[in-house]
Amino acid sequence: MKSRAALAIKAGEKLIIDEVDVSGPKDGEVMVEIKATGICHTDAFTLSGDDPEGAFPAILGHEGAGIVREVGKGVTSLKPGDHVIPLYTAECRECDYCLHPKTNLCQSVRETQGRGVMPNGTSRFSYNGKPVLHYMGCSTFSNYTVLPEVSLAKIRKDAPFDKACYIGCGVTTGVGAVIYTAKAEPDCVAIVFGLGGIGLNVIQGLKMIGAKQIVGVDINPAREATARQFGMTHFVNPNNVKGDLAGYLVEVTGGGADYTFECIGNTDVMRVALESCHKGWGESIIIGVAGAGKEISTRPFQLVTGRSWRGTAFGGARGRTDVPSIVDMYMDGRINIDDLITHKMGLEDINKAFDLMHAGESIRSVVEF
Ligand code: NAD
Ligand code: AHE
Ligand code: ZN
């Protein structure tokens, strides 16, 4: 069948909006009509050419919501008409990773997903008769897409697609980093570096669990007001800090933070985030994604003296299990998604969403099909 899609033909180029061919779901696969998709910084990262796994031509997008239209042979947990959120972190509930209590990184489809193909090694997309790659197993920049059954979370039907799509990455990553990865305690002290589409969700997660002090750090002064609305108690613009930023933050937090979260993808900031943790127990959680060749460093003494570095993908959420409960949190008014979606547009304007992100003007843009 034909589907309208935004194609990434080459790294560094604008997306092209055109019709692509999508073939039906094979065994264990599901065809989904995407109703809405968010644009995450990771899409821009891959499009820029910095992603070592980035392969082209591809259909990007990994933050969507839609309706199941067709299921392949052997699919048992979904049927046409179900509402779903695509998962770039699958949950098969059978692999060694799914059976391990300490990780959400299901590996059942990860290898083929990283190569831009379905588990049988082929793509369901083509353009002008030539194959086009899938992206992060989702390709939500196409009106119709195909995913493995294990890469879809079934959600309640009353959740609006234009908000639920953001749970497919940003909301779950930010809130999840607090509740699933850090398992942060009430009354904790936290610092959030980067107050964009992810960082603001970390802030609302911290507020939800009852953090005592939530310091937000961003070079964009326009982020202060929204971050305060979401629960930030102190704002720091590094451009206004003279001297050592980590030292300043240790002072602001009265000895360092119990938890810090890096939500930018800047390896220099990752170091500051580690070094502004409290001696003895502070944990720094890396969310930001950095390009090929980038490395993090610190004096080993920082770790010897009890600070630790951790990372999180998709907020540590097990998608099929946890995503429906994040949708409930939104529907029950426990988390705010509406005020983070600053721009909405049709697919034909998707390149504007990238421009708005790079200019620091949007928190999240959502494309509705
Ligand atoms: P964004 O562009 O919306 O937000 C980034 C924020 O960082 C902006 O507010 C910007 O002003 C701020 N910033 C930039 N440089 C800074 C600096 N030197 N000091 C302080 N603030 C600075 O991006 P986003 O969508 O929130 O994504 C953030 C990062 O998280 C990206 O690297 C993205 O790829 C990554 N990400 C990771 C996961 C995961 O599962 N680990 C999931 C989603 C996104
Ligand atoms: N392909 C990149 C890594 C990108 C990356 O780390 N992606 C995150 C999700 S970002 C969502 O916006 C992730 O889930 N990582 C775990 C995984 O298995 O990919 C690279 O550096 O190669
Ligand atoms: Zn993302």
Side-chain angles (χ1 to χ4, degrees), residues 40 42 45 51-53 62 88 110 136 169 289 313:
C40 170
T42 307
F45 164 75
D51 182 352
E53 260 187 329
H62 62 281
Y88 58 84
R110 182 62 184 85
M136 290 175 74
C169 183
V289 164

Side-chain angles (χ1 to χ4, degrees), residues 59-366:
I59 297 174
L60 303 180
H62 62 281
E63 196 177 77
I67 305 177
V68 171
R69 289 304 178 204
E70 197 185 332
V71 299
K73 256 199 233 154
V75 171
T76 55
S77 64
L78 292 165
K79 57 181 185 317
D82 285 344
H83 290 202
V84 287
I85 289 181
L87 302 170
Y88 58 84
T89 307
E91 186 189 355
C92 73
R93 299 176 174 157
E94 284 173 359
C95 72
D96 289 350
Y97 287 73
C98 281
L99 296 177
H100 198 288
K102 290 191 176 177
T103 185
N104 65 327
L105 294 178
C106 172
Q107 295 296 293
S108 60
V109 297
R110 182 62 184 85
E111 189 267 330
T112 44
Q113 176 174 311
R115 289 193 284 116
V117 289
M118 287 288 105
N120 80 345
T122 58
S123 170
R124 301 293 157 266
F125 294 114
S126 58
Y127 183 56
N128 293 334
K130 291 194 180 133
V132 171
L133 296 168
H134 297 246
Y135 174 64
M136 290 175 74
C138 296
S139 291
T140 58
F141 293 170
S142 176
N143 196 185
Y144 290 84
T145 186
V146 175
L147 301 98
E149 177 182 16
V150 292
S151 303
L152 286 163
K154 184 172 162 180
I155 62 162
R156 54 197 275 178
K157 288 192 173 169
D158 56 346
F161 295 114
D162 63 332
K163 309 297 186 317
C165 62
Y166 195 6
I167 295 171
C169 183
V171 173
T172 304
T173 298
V175 173
V178 175
I179 64 175
Y180 304 126
T181 302
K183 299 187 176 68
E185 307 80 10
D187 281 335
C188 67
V189 171
I191 308 174
V192 182
F193 295 82
L195 305 175
I198 307 301
L200 290 165
N201 278 296
V202 173
I203 292 211
Q204 71 169 324
L206 286 164
K207 185 184 177 191
M208 188 171 69
I209 60 104
K212 179 170 66 188
Q213 187 184 18
I214 307 173
V215 181
V217 180
D218 204 298
I219 49 173
N220 181 352
R223 292 288 144 98
E224 180 175 357
T226 316
R228 284 199 189 277
Q229 181 199 339
F230 277 74
M232 180 184 73
T233 58
H234 298 70
F235 178 66
V236 175
N237 183 337
N239 293 329
N240 299 336
V241 175
K242 288 197 185 79
D244 175 38
L245 179 58
Y248 177 80
L249 291 165
V250 167
E251 217 176 283
V252 167
T253 51
D258 300 307
Y259 300 100
T260 68
F261 300 85
E262 202 280 355
C263 316
I264 303 164
N266 178 317
T267 50
D268 296 328
V269 178
M270 289 176 189
R271 179 176 190 150
V272 176
L274 189 267
E275 296 180 0
S276 51
C277 282
H278 204 291
K279 184 174 182 176
W281 63 78
E283 291 182 13
S284 184
I285 291 150
I286 292 181
I287 302 177
V289 164
K294 294 284 183 191
E295 295 185 346
I296 49 174
S297 63
T298 190
R299 281 192 66 214
F301 183 68
Q302 293 286 337
L303 306 177
V304 166
T305 50
R307 297 169 192 85
S308 52
W309 239 330
R310 303 177 63 190
T312 181
F314 199 36
R318 291 169 184 262
R320 288 203 291 159
T321 303
D322 296 328
V323 159
S325 54
I326 306 259
V327 174
D328 287 342
M329 284 181 201
Y330 168 66
M331 297 300 284
D332 297 346
R334 283 177 284 153
I335 54 175
N336 176 356
I337 295 184
D338 300 17
D339 292 335
L340 295 177
I341 296 173
T342 50
H343 297 76
K344 280 170 77 170
M345 57 204 68
L347 185 67
E348 63 284 0
D349 287 326
I350 193 167
N351 285 303
K352 281 189 195 152
F354 286 86
D355 296 342
L356 288 162
M357 176 196 296
H358 292 307
E361 283 175 29
S362 57
I363 307 273
R364 252 328 181 244
S365 293
V366 165

